[in-house]
Amino acid sequence: MAKILLTGGAGYIGSHTYLALVEAGFEVVIFDNFSNAKQDVPARLQDITGGLVHVFEGDVLNPEDMRAVFDAHDFEGVVHFAAKKAVGESVEKPLDYMHTNVGGLLTLLAEMDRADVRRIVFSSSATVYGDTDIQPIPEDHGRTHTSPYAFTKIAGEQILEQLDDRWAVGILRYFNPVGAHRSAMIGEDPADIPNNLVPYIAKVATGELDQLSVFGDDYDTPDGTGVRDYIHVEDLAEGHVLSIKTLIDTGDSHTVNLGTGDGSSVLDVVHAYSKACGADLDYQIAPRRDGDVAVLTARPDRAKALLGFEAKRTLADMCRSSWAWVSGQRRNDKG
Ligand code: WQD
């Protein structure tokens, strides 16, 4: 059974990818420093899979930790999530972001090279496209950073593009991952007030937050609010499985968008979430948020052609799964 190293595997997308990899028959080792993941995630994964979850608590920035995990296991490849991912925070702490996201990748690659493990799936982002009117966005669109976070993703992609033919690289550009696992036992679990739309709406739905601020209703979109390409986190996880499988089976590197190709406005999401939770959600129209663009949607056809990937789940599925997760959490907290 092929063994995969999953850095950041206790995080939101990492934990869902763990389940998808195990379901696809891979053996997986989670490598995480738990700086942005709850300590109980591996136990939850164990409850879901019924199998032992291998966790190596370590930091991708620490060469000794990296050496130890590669000395302990023979990996077929690596799926690399471990990075900081908040755009706003990256503006306040650019050096932190470059150190962790770029330094961490370089430390990982050095150890992979030493261990002769040269297949890597890299977690990138639609943010590499910058602000563009070309929608839906194709992968051959130019890259330009609008934040230090975006810079670190472009830098990561360009580092990987320098590697020689012994390497096989999958670069996956996420659009807007949302939702939770069908078991409702894992999901997005932000530590403080969320920056992103769906986790914020989820906290309004549970009553933890009073009201959603809709950042602008004067964009050139059907209802004036921002349009994004929301993709279910389980679809996204399955995209990672197809990517690592492609690297193992063919050795062919690829750079693909992971999105649905469909756009949903902020108010579309509010209405879908209201249906999912069975209640109206209070919101107010607020000024636009700095750095936001009107529309961001993916050209999804290259992922289909190269990986056989196609997002299957709908916005309703995303909201229903998110509500099942957060409402279950609330019951447990009250429990
Ligand atoms: C979505 C829409 C907001 C919150 C970000 C990162 C991106 C990626 C995904 C890492 C926009 C509106 C939001 C709120 C609102 N992360 N909104 N009220 O900004 O598209 O993408 O997360 O890779 O890099 O930039 O996602 O969920 O923050 O916003 O009206 O309280 O919801 O204006 O139109 P975004 P988002």
Side-chain angles (χ1 to χ4, degrees):
M1 184 192 287
K3 190 185 285 191
I4 301 297
L5 178 66
L6 196 56
T7 74
Y12 171 45
I13 302 172
S15 56
H16 287 81
T17 302
Y18 174 87
L19 294 173
L21 283 167
V22 167
E23 201 170 315
F26 288 95
E27 191 180 347
V28 184
V29 175
I30 288 177
F31 182 94
D32 209 305
N33 66 1
F34 290 89
S35 62
N36 194 22
K38 296 272 172 66
Q39 286 285 353
D40 69 347
V41 168
R44 290 170 183 268
L45 294 174
Q46 202 148 294
D47 289 347
I48 295 166
T49 61
L52 197 61
V53 174
H54 300 286
V55 179
F56 187 108
E57 187 159 353
D59 194 323
V60 286
L61 280 166
N62 183 331
E64 283 151 31
D65 288 351
M66 286 268 79
R67 173 142 316 184
V69 76
F70 277 91
D71 282 350
H73 300 278
D74 286 331
F75 294 115
E76 289 298 314
V78 177
V79 179
H80 180 45
F81 287 107
K84 291 175 180 287
K85 64 167 187 171
V87 172
E89 186 186 49
S90 79
V91 175
E92 292 156 27
K93 304 174 183 172
L95 279 178
D96 269 10
Y97 270 67
M98 287 185 269
H99 183 55
T100 300
N101 293 8
V102 182
L105 174 64
L106 287 170
T107 307
L108 170 65
L109 291 174
E111 191 49 43
M112 288 176 70
D113 197 36
R114 186 195 69 85
D116 241 352
V117 177
R118 293 194 177 86
R119 300 184 189 102
I120 179 169
V121 174
F122 176 68
S123 167
S124 191
S125 167
T127 199
V128 305
Y129 295 120
D131 182 356
T132 176
D133 294 331
I134 298 172
Q135 300 294 337
I137 305 176
E139 287 86 351
D140 58 4
H141 186 288
R143 294 176 289 201
T144 175
H145 63 278
T146 52
S147 69
Y149 167 73
F151 170 83
T152 68
K153 288 303 176 185
I154 294 172
E157 291 192 4
Q158 290 176 329
I159 287 166
L160 293 165
E161 288 160 1
Q162 309 311 312
L163 299 175
D164 62 44
D165 293 345
R166 293 174 300 160
W167 292 79
V169 174
I171 293 173
L172 308 183
R173 293 172 177 165
Y174 310 160
F175 279 69
N176 288 61
V178 297
H181 189 257
R182 67 194 83 122
S183 66
M185 291 172 68
I186 57 167
E188 195 161 10
D189 195 1
D192 42 28
I193 295 187
N195 296 311
N196 295 138
L197 179 66
V198 170
Y200 197 103
I201 289 177
K203 287 186 181 287
V204 173
T206 60
E208 290 172 77
L209 292 171
D210 294 334
Q211 183 184 63
L212 168 73
S213 293
V214 175
F215 296 146
D217 68 344
D218 57 350
Y219 286 103
D220 182 13
T221 62
D223 65 16
T225 64
V227 171
R228 295 292 182 273
D229 187 332
Y230 297 96
I231 178 170
H232 197 293
V233 67
E234 286 206 79
D235 278 332
L236 195 72
E238 288 159 16
H240 286 73
V241 174
L242 291 170
S243 178
I244 192 70
K245 272 182 173 174
T246 299
L247 299 185
I248 292 170
D249 296 346
T250 71
D252 292 344
S253 295
H254 47 271
T255 296
V256 296
N257 292 332
L258 291 186
T260 66
D262 301 323
S264 301
S265 75
V266 175
L267 293 181
D268 290 335
V269 179
V270 170
H271 298 143
Y273 213 101
S274 286
K275 274 197 193 138
C277 70
D280 288 339
L281 296 169
D282 192 14
Y283 68 85
Q284 63 167 353
I285 303 300
R288 291 183 176 191
R289 177 173 65 176
D290 286 351
D292 273 352
V293 298
V295 180
L296 199 58
T297 53
R299 276 281 301 271
D301 36 330
R302 187 190 279 185
K304 174 99 170 111
L306 298 184
L307 307 182
F309 173 77
E310 205 163 9
K312 299 190 292 285
R313 296 163 178 93
T314 65
L315 181 64
D317 297 330
M318 298 173 212
C319 294
R320 271 196 295 266
S321 64
S322 169
W323 174 242
W325 155 246
V326 294
S327 54
Q329 265 194 311
R330 294 287 288 164
R331 275 197 301 276
N332 293 341
D333 293 350
K334 285 178 182 162

